[in-house]
Each structure stands twice: as C-alpha cells, then as structure tokens.
C-alpha cells in the first residue's frame, strides 16, 4: 500500500520555481488544464516559423534545468514549446495519475496548435517524456516523432531491472510499445548502449517490432543523461525536419 500511494515520490522529482521567476530565454505561457490549475510552458518563438516542436522533458527538474535540453531540439525555423508537468517549475497542482498527465499534455497540444496553426508538428520526448510524446503522436496529427532514451513501458523497465514489484501496483506505465503500432508518422529513436537508467534493450525491442517505421540512432560514449546532449542528436533533428 505504501508503495502504491507513494509512486509519485519515487517516479517524479520536480524542481519548483518561484512565481516571479523569469526564464533567461523565451517566454512563459500558461495553459489552463483544470479550474485554477495552469501548466507553465516555456516558448522559444520563431517569426514566420515552419512549424512547432513540442518537447517533453524527463522526470527531474523543471524548465529552468531543462533549458539546455531545449536548445538541443530547438533546430531549424520552428517554435519550440516545452511544458512543465504538474508540480514542476511554475506549473500548478500535483501529479496524480498517468491519465491526468496525458490529458494535460493533450490540452497543451490543443492550445498551441490552435494558437499557431502550424504547417508542421514535431514532437520530441526524453526519458519519462518519451511516454507522453508517444501518446501525443498516437492521438494527434504529428509529422515527426523523436524519442530520446525511451522505454517500451515502465513495467518493462521494472522487470528488466528485476525490481520485485507486482505489475498490478504500477499506477504509471506509459506503454510506448502499444502506442507505436497506431502512430502514422516517422519515428527516430536516440539511445545509448551505456544507458544505466533506461535499458538500451527497450529501443532494440521497439525497432525490431516496427523496423519500417523506426530509425534507431545508437549513441556512443554517453549514458542516460548524456543522450540528450549528444552532438548527433541536434544534427539529425535539424536534417530530418
């Protein structure tokens, strides 16, 4: 019971920001997801952009910590949108369920698609964010999906690491493997064999299951955190979109 009701503390490690915090680049835009609950989004806007990139960061920090990550995926003439999840940064509320998390991201998608009416929509997700990125790509019109250090599902990661927790106690699964079957757009995966957080095997499984849909970029000499900062990542994103 303690494990079930404390999963949020185990999975999510947010960095709260003061309400008067100002980002050194871009601007903040709030998206209402419930009455009195707003999601804080960092926007790096381009004039006459070719489209938008929605970037979903991992389970640690906030947009202040993840701004360097944003620069990695902020390629080409695209407006980049980076939402902080509930309880992260300047976002209000707290994370309570996977359904809530994906519903919030859907509202962020709807808000910015309506605002910019983009010609092209790119979604990128890193680590935990890859699960929500695959959700967006499955449920919406997306032109390109980038997954950095993704998992097949959190349940699979638990099993690969031999964590003795029954599947029934997992409140969060983010089952990317099942979603990819319904995703229509091209998918590029970046993953490092040296990743000691999310096993590289996850990306191998996904690529083997969907070889015509997925391109796997194997990152050398980096681990889990280094994957998002790999030089190949920026180059390939820029040349792909």
């Amino acid at each position: 019971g303690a494990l079930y009701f404390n999963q949020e503390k185990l999975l999510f490690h947010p960095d709260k920001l003061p309400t008067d915090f100002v980002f050194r680049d871009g601007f903040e835009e709030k998206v209402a997801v419930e009455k009195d609950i707003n999601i804080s989004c960092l926007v790096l806007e381009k004039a006459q952009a070719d489209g938008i990139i929605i970037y979903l960061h991992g389970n640690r920090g906030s947009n202040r910590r993840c701004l360097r990550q944003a620069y990695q995926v902020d390629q080409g003439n695209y407006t980049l949108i980076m939402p902080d999840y509930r309880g992260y940064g300047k976002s209000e509320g707290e994370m309570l369920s996977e359904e809530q998390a994906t519903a919030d991201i859907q509202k962020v998608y709807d808000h910015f698609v309506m605002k910019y009416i983009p010609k092209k929509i790119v979604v990128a997700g890193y680590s935990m964010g890859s699960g929500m990125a695959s959700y967006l790509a499955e449920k919406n019109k997306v032109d390109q999906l980038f997954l950095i250090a993704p998992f097949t599902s959190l349940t699979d990661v638990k099993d690969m690491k031999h964590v003795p927790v029954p599947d029934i106690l997992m409140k969060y699964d983010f089952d990317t493997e099942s979603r990819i079957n319904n995703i229509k757009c091209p998918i590029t995966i970046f993953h490092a064999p040296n990743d000691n957080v999310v096993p590289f095997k996850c990306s191998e499984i996904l690529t083997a299951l969907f070889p015509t849909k997925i391109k796997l970029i194997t990152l050398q000499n980096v681990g889990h955190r280094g994957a998002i900062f790999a030089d190949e990542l920026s180059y390939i994103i820029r040349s792909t979109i």
Side-chain angles (χ1 to χ4, degrees), residues 1-14 59 88 95-98 128 154-155 158 165-174:
L3 177 65
Y4 182 82
F5 291 108
N6 285 280
Q7 279 182 55
E8 285 77 16
K9 292 181 180 179
L10 294 172
L11 290 174
F12 306 112
H13 304 280
N59 70 329
Y88 284 72
M95 196 82 80
L96 296 175
S97 70
E98 178 178 342
M128 183 78 73
L154 284 182
T155 300
K158 168 187 70 71
V165 175
D167 292 355
I168 196 171
L169 293 182
M170 297 286 291
K171 290 171 63 178
Y172 300 85
D173 193 31
F174 295 114

Side-chain angles (χ1 to χ4, degrees), residues 2-121:
L3 177 65
Y4 182 82
F5 291 108
N6 285 280
Q7 279 182 55
E8 285 77 16
K9 292 181 180 179
L10 294 172
L11 290 174
F12 306 112
H13 304 280
D15 173 24
K16 290 293 293 181
L17 297 176
T19 56
D20 60 351
F21 179 82
V22 178
F23 294 99
R24 68 176 183 269
D25 198 1
F27 62 88
E28 180 192 12
E29 185 160 341
K30 293 183 178 180
V31 177
V33 292
E34 283 186 27
K35 184 180 180 181
D36 300 325
I37 295 181
N38 295 296
I39 293 295
S40 172
C41 300
L42 180 61
V43 181
L44 305 180
E45 193 173 59
K46 304 289 197 311
Q48 298 180 330
D50 295 325
I52 62 173
I53 299 175
I54 300 175
Y55 174 60
L56 302 163
H57 63 67
N59 70 329
R60 290 185 177 274
S62 68
N63 278 340
R64 176 177 64 178
R65 178 178 183 268
C66 299
L67 185 55
R68 283 183 59 214
Q69 299 176 16
Y71 296 144
Q72 288 292 96
V73 297
D74 181 23
Q75 301 297 321
N77 188 36
Y78 285 75
T79 290
L80 186 133
I81 296 137
M82 188 163 67
D84 256 335
Y85 315 124
R86 291 196 192 202
Y88 284 72
K90 297 171 72 176
S91 289
E92 298 159 347
E94 59 181 320
M95 196 82 80
L96 296 175
S97 70
E98 178 178 342
E99 293 72 22
Q100 176 202 68
T102 52
D104 286 352
I105 295 305
Q106 181 63 55
K107 289 174 183 174
V108 169
Y109 174 96
D110 293 341
H111 172 86
F112 285 103
V113 167
M114 183 175 294
K115 175 180 178 178
Y116 288 111
I117 314 178
K119 291 177 285 186
K120 194 171 183 180
I121 301 170

Side-chain angles (χ1 to χ4, degrees), residues 214-239:
I214 294 175
K215 181 178 181 180
L216 174 60
I217 307 299
T218 302
L219 303 173
Q220 303 296 339
N221 303 316
V222 296
H224 185 72
R225 176 157 170 74
I228 186 64
F229 298 112
D231 292 337
E232 307 98 294
L233 188 141
S234 293
Y235 172 78
I236 291 172
I237 290 178
R238 182 168 59 252
S239 60

